[in-house]
Amino acid sequence: MNSTVPTFTVLTWGCQMNEDDSEQIASLMTRLGYQRVASALEADVVFLNTCSVRAKPEHKAKSKLGELRILKQQNPDLIVAVCGCMAQKEGERIRSYAPFVDLIIGTANIHQIPGLLHRITENRDRISALELPRVEDDEPTVPIRVERTPRLKAFVPIMYGCDNFCAYCVVPFTRGPERSRPMADILAEVERLVGGGCKEVTLLGQNVNNYGQGRREPTDFPTLLYRLNDVPGIERIRFTTSHPKDLSDGLIRAMAELPKVCEHLHLPVQSGSDAVLARMNRRYTSAQYLQRLTKLRDTVPDIAVTTDLLVGFPGETDEDFEATLRLVEEVRFDEAFMFAFSPMSGTAAADMPDQLSDPVRHERLLLLIELQNRITAEINHSQLGMIFEILVEGVSRRDSTKVTGLTRTNKTMNFTGDAGLIGLMVSVRAVKPHIWGFMGEADSGR
Ligand code: SF4
């Protein structure tokens, strides 16, 4: 150890589930008496929390391992731990190209960190903990949660794993079968968060619409939302991600009826071509997606809808891609996360025939981004002059005379103000649109 108080850092990027895992690791380490530091250079223990959702984060993790190899050569006492989806997927194979790694931790083994670290510091063992839980007949096992640090906004996982096996995705392999947390545990975690000053929660899961499946007590996602809406002190409830095939009328009704549930739905469509959707194993057609969206927009009129789009999937023809462009024109998403397909080892899509070349995939991605950016700009422009409720989250990083927060529709709003506004709800008029949201001014009637 290089100081009297042992130190750790978590190097992380990737999805929100990954972010939540990083927070759990940090909470555990703090409880063990370690102090968090910003850089691996100052740390006694480095956690590399990896993501396998796309090839790029995996490449980044491997290049970080190269940097950690040098650090470990300079300081052999440094403990290097690899966790997250890449750790789960690659397991012991990581040691074939990074033999210096002390600890490989699977996605369901974070709670074992104290015991694993103890073994390493005592014996300098090289250890792996990679068991994924099995779904028991009567009660699924879910990870043990650690007490959170107080914060204004928090992610709260409500379920883990996924049973959908979309052809391009590793999650069912890296996070195991779908398991829902007991509702009482979720409510208790949210109540504790409120006690620490939290006002907004985002419920997390790979397919939150399916919450409750397999639990002994009969329950479902709308029921959870109704119960959370009754928790005093919580002011906003968000959730992600929703699978279109599981967007029920009951959930749409809950979104319309519950004042704390924000008017925003992230509903990944991925493609506008039914042939591609079938090869992706998404289990809906573009017409079914549009039908669900029409019902949603008729019931919750001011809702913002965002999506994920994946272009260049194996076998995607020009006509398939044009169907995606047409769907994007028709739906007019508020925003989209857009990606070019990259084959991930271990997924069905990686071995499919008719893989497209990089130039074709990237040309299609650029065309799609151009279209979606135009639509986002048009939607934001059409909302000029409207007044939005903003939960002020902090001072703008770019301009210290401004504060920043999100609308209920999940758009960024920056406006003149100071740190005294942090944590307050402020009515703000949108005065200048941007692709990322709005510049605004506080409404005098706030
Ligand atoms: S729904 Fe599909 S894309 Fe989402 S986590 Fe499950 S398998 Fe992956």
Side-chain angles (χ1 to χ4, degrees), residues 133-207:
R134 286 199 303 267
V135 175
E136 310 295 346
D137 286 340
D138 56 349
E139 198 75 348
T141 53
V142 290
I144 299 157
R145 304 276 299 160
V146 186
E147 196 77 25
R148 324 276 302 267
T149 40
R151 57 188 54 223
L152 186 60
K153 289 170 47 167
F155 293 123
V156 177
I158 61 167
M159 61 193 302
Y160 298 91
C162 184
D163 292 338
N164 283 321
F165 291 92
C166 299
Y168 49 82
C169 181
V170 292
V171 165
F173 309 104
T174 58
R175 293 198 175 256
E178 204 170 275
R179 292 100 65 205
S180 293
R181 288 178 74 192
M183 188 176 294
D185 287 7
I186 298 167
L187 291 168
E189 181 169 346
V190 171
E191 281 163 7
R192 280 197 302 274
L193 285 165
V194 170
C198 180
K199 294 194 172 173
E200 178 179 311
V201 288
T202 301
L203 310 176
L204 277 187
Q206 263 76 32
N207 185 13

Side-chain angles (χ1 to χ4, degrees), residues 28 63 91 103 132 200 208 236 243 278 314 352 392:
L28 261 175
S63 115
L103 187 51
L132 276 175
E200 178 179 311
V208 289
R236 287 174 162 191
H243 196 297
M352 283 182 179
V392 181

